Amino acid sequence: SQKPVNLTWAVSGLLLLVLIKGVLTFLEGKWTETASQNVAYDLRNALQRKITDLSFSFHDKAQAGDLLSRAIQDVERIRFLTGRAVFRIIESIFLMLITSVVMIWMDPRLGLLAMLSIPFLVFQSVRFGRVYRPLSLKIQKQMSVLTTRVEQNLRGARVIKTFAQESAEIERFNNENQLWMDLSAKATRLQTNNMPLLLMIANIGSVGILLYGGYLVMQGGLSLGELVAFTTYLGQLISPVRRIGNIIPALAIASAAAERVFEILDARSEVRDEPHAVPLPPVKGHVRFDHVSFAYFGRHAVLSDVTLEARPGEVVALLGATGSGKSTIINLIPRFYDPTAGRIFIDDIDIRTVTLNSLRDQ
């Protein structure tokens, strides 16, 4: 008869799904870890190159602890996303699609009923991601603050002890650590609410199928064996839902981490070679400032309309109080910064017209 044939095909399909799942699990372990480690390797190298190439103005504003957090912790979160997480998402979606097709083929009525819960699951997942992602970004920024605080305390340990500031530094760190803990606790509450809600939506659909399927069995429209096979497939449908529910927080965290990493990679150096810059030829060392002004971050004015020159072999003394701009004048010559107004010449060559490497080589 037709029903035993359908049942045989259903059981065979279930066995095929188990085999496919085993193969995917094997491939996941073999490939994803290598691929994700390669991504992390490339990202860290790219970050190192970018941080090295960026001008002094970037490093004046950046915190070492924040850069460390991005290069290590944020890259590690991206590594997880590009490794097992991506493969698990692909595997789960693939299994959901195959299972859905088989369920609709077995019994269109029950299959379509099982599909009703999927839009609600997608809606809840998207809704959770929109709330969780900005929170993840705040947590990662706060972790950068903590890393920076530790780095500064370690580097300034002698100064802290000299001025008996141990208690004050401990209190500052405790305040930042408390803020991080509060944000993390909020994220945990969101996760613990999200997973049961996803399972509840999926299980409500299961109860509806059992009720309707039981009714069909009593009416003779469905055999008990077919209902058992169908509920087994339904279990195969709920399992990927549970897995995706666990991965969604990791996706949100990795997305926030990627934003922080690419904020560095996309940064443009304020001091860079002009499009038609040429190598600086060997120089005698005649330095001339022509109405040069400079302000740090475009706000804190240090130099205003400075004109001076130092001829080869001549000694020029710069005298002034701390912060009057002596070091700034020296830093402008190798273009660690560019003037906000005016020009600087070496041997009557505007230093903006030559390449940075050739200028600093001399």
Side-chain angles (χ1 to χ4, degrees), residues 337-354:
Y337 305 91
D338 276 337
T340 50
R343 294 186 297 170
I344 300 171
F345 297 88
I346 296 179
D347 291 1
D348 293 325
I349 300 172
D350 188 336
I351 61 174
R352 283 191 176 183
T353 65
V354 299

Side-chain angles (χ1 to χ4, degrees), residues 173-298:
F173 183 84
N174 181 66
N175 292 337
E176 300 293 357
N177 200 21
Q178 182 66 48
L179 178 56
W180 176 84
M181 190 178 76
D182 292 342
L183 290 169
S184 298
K186 184 177 179 181
T188 301
R189 286 194 298 271
L190 281 174
Q191 288 189 62
T192 53
N193 291 337
N194 179 61
M195 196 64 212
L197 186 56
L198 288 175
L199 290 176
M200 184 184 74
I201 294 171
N203 288 328
I204 287 175
S206 301
V207 171
I209 287 169
L210 286 174
L211 287 174
Y212 184 57
Y215 169 78
L216 291 176
V217 170
M218 293 173 63
Q219 296 296 316
L222 190 72
S223 72
L224 185 59
E226 286 178 312
L227 180 59
V228 171
F230 196 90
T231 53
T232 304
Y233 270 100
L234 188 61
Q236 292 288 326
L237 188 65
I238 293 176
S239 177
V241 169
R242 185 185 292 110
R243 186 176 300 173
I244 290 175
N246 287 327
I247 291 174
I248 287 173
L251 285 174
I253 291 171
S255 175
E259 180 178 328
R260 284 164 47 80
V261 168
F262 282 94
E263 186 179 10
I264 301 295
L265 294 179
D266 293 339
R268 296 193 66 189
S269 180
E270 291 185 13
V271 178
R272 54 186 179 271
D273 287 337
E274 297 293 326
H276 303 292
V278 296
L280 178 65
V283 298
K284 296 177 181 178
H286 181 189
V287 177
R288 180 163 58 89
F289 278 57
D290 182 25
H291 299 286
V292 170
S293 298
F294 179 75
Y296 284 102
F297 314 124

